[in-house]
């Protein structure tokens, strides 16, 4: 069974998470520089079967698009032109970064480790994907 991949796209860094082959468990894959995202995905898709990509949709508390929405829309446009056959879903990503940071605290990571913004992005992508699996995936 192909995997589902989640992208927490940001101005500088992009967190990537992926499911297992049975689409049950979300795991952090990596954090990459955002400008390399399309090249990274091109290589990843050539090695792994991916059924769908989930991309976070940043919103403000009132439900309106956040400041970073424009940046993400540009990335999505590039993504669609590079991978026109790939299914793409958007998921509200409010609070994923805060939840990721809290997860780091709860797991006992030291303050120095919690300052790793790349790790926060990877965990945020994992939370985004796990939330998607729990809400939308029929098993």
């Amino acid at each position: 069974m192909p995997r589902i991949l989640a992208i927490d796209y940001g101005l500088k860094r992009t967190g990537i998470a992926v499911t297992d082959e049975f689409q049950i468990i979300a795991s952090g894959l990596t954090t990459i520089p955002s400008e390399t995202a399309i090249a990274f995905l091109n290589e990843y898709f050539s090695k792994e079967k991916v059924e769908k990509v989930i991309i976070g949709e940043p919103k403000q508390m009132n439900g309106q698009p956040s400041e970073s929405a424009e940046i993400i829309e540009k990335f999505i446009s590039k993504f669609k032109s590079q991978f026109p056959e790939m299914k793409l879903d958007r998921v509200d990503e409010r609070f994923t970064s805060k939840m990721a940071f809290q997860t780091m605290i709860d797991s006992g990571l030291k303050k120095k480790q919690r300052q790793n913004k790349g790790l926060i992005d990877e965990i945020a992508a994992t939370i985004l994907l796990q939330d998607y699996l729990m809400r939308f995936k029929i098993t």
Side-chain angles (χ1 to χ4, degrees):
M1 181 179 254
R3 299 173 188 270
I4 299 174
L5 185 133
I7 299 173
D8 182 36
Y9 190 84
L11 185 59
K12 295 180 182 179
R13 291 171 313 279
T14 295
I16 310 280
V18 67
T19 64
D20 61 310
E21 293 90 359
F22 301 107
Q23 299 181 359
I24 297 171
I25 299 168
S27 300
L29 182 63
T30 190
T31 301
I32 56 172
S34 292
E35 67 270 8
T36 67
I38 296 295
F40 173 86
L41 293 169
N42 205 12
E43 185 170 332
Y44 188 82
F45 294 160
S46 73
K47 295 177 183 175
E48 296 286 343
K49 290 183 181 179
V50 176
E51 173 183 308
K52 181 184 297 184
V53 172
I54 308 303
I55 298 180
E57 187 171 21
K59 294 182 180 182
Q60 298 176 25
M61 290 300 294
N62 64 4
Q64 295 298 313
S66 76
E67 301 165 1
S68 58
E70 187 177 327
I71 295 162
I72 294 170
E73 289 302 324
K74 287 179 183 176
F75 170 74
I76 288 172
S77 179
K78 289 179 190 176
F79 179 91
K80 286 180 177 179
S81 68
Q82 183 71 31
F83 310 107
E85 303 297 317
M86 183 61 67
K87 293 178 193 170
L88 177 71
D89 273 349
R90 303 292 306 277
V91 177
D92 186 349
E93 69 173 34
R94 278 181 283 193
F95 308 115
T96 55
S97 292
K98 288 180 182 178
M99 290 169 62
F101 189 74
Q102 187 61 47
T103 299
M104 293 170 78
I105 291 170
D106 294 345
S107 66
L109 290 179
K110 297 191 183 328
K111 186 175 183 180
K112 183 106 174 145
Q113 293 168 308
R114 293 193 308 257
Q115 293 172 343
N116 179 348
K117 294 183 189 224
L119 183 56
I120 293 172
D121 294 332
E122 185 177 327
I123 294 171
T126 306
I127 291 169
L128 187 74
L129 184 53
Q130 193 64 51
D131 182 58
Y132 175 84
L133 291 173
M134 291 172 55
R135 295 211 269 136
F136 301 106
K137 190 78 176 124
I138 300 170
T139 56

